[in-house]
Amino acid sequence: MTTTTSFSRADHFTGEAESAPDFEAIRNSPEFVRLRRRLLRFIFPVSALFLVWYLTYVVLAAYAHEFMSERVWGNVTVGLLLGLSQFVTTVVIMLCYLRFAKRRVDPAVAELRGDNA
């Protein structure tokens, strides 16, 4: 029978770490600054576009009753399609972010950590 080592906080975090990361130096490093800028250049525009899209839907629902209640086919209305498209938009944004992170962010993080993997 094999026993495993305990990974409790008391065993591994009792004293001053010998090689604790210098978070201040990491935050001020040019590589980390580039990584943050790269993330912000993706996150802010996509978030702004989604918020505008969402608020447009809310405003249409509040003030354009005739447009939103227009039937497309059967009992399916423009409002219902626009509401469901909010979910589709969320999934598309998630997939775009996953692709962006895999291609741009993850390699930069690995380089920053020194993994080069």
Side-chain angles (χ1 to χ4, degrees):
M1 183 164 118
T2 307
T3 60
T4 58
T5 311
S6 170
F7 291 106
S8 69
R9 286 183 90 64
D11 293 340
H12 296 285
F13 299 105
T14 54
E16 183 68 31
E18 292 178 21
S19 62
D22 184 1
F23 293 111
E24 187 71 28
I26 293 169
R27 189 179 77 208
N28 294 327
S29 71
E31 296 86 6
F32 187 75
V33 171
R34 274 195 303 273
L35 176 62
R36 288 191 61 204
R37 282 190 188 136
R38 185 176 291 161
L39 276 168
L40 292 176
R41 280 194 311 255
F42 179 87
I43 291 169
F44 280 134
V46 171
S47 297
L49 285 172
F50 182 77
L51 284 174
V52 166
W53 164 225
Y54 176 73
L55 290 175
T56 301
Y57 173 72
V58 171
V59 168
L60 285 172
Y63 297 107
H65 297 286
E66 290 179 22
F67 173 70
M68 296 294 270
S69 63
E70 183 132 349
R71 294 187 187 275
V72 178
W73 66 84
N75 288 331
V76 179
T77 62
V78 171
L80 180 62
L81 290 177
L82 291 177
L84 291 174
S85 70
Q86 294 286 320
F87 294 104
V88 173
T89 305
T90 302
V91 171
V92 168
I93 290 171
M94 177 204 55
L95 293 173
C96 289
Y97 179 77
L98 286 174
R99 182 177 179 194
F100 170 78
K102 185 175 181 178
R103 290 181 174 193
R104 299 288 185 105
V105 176
D106 292 346
V109 169
E111 182 180 319
L112 193 60
R113 286 182 176 169
D115 295 345
N116 295 327

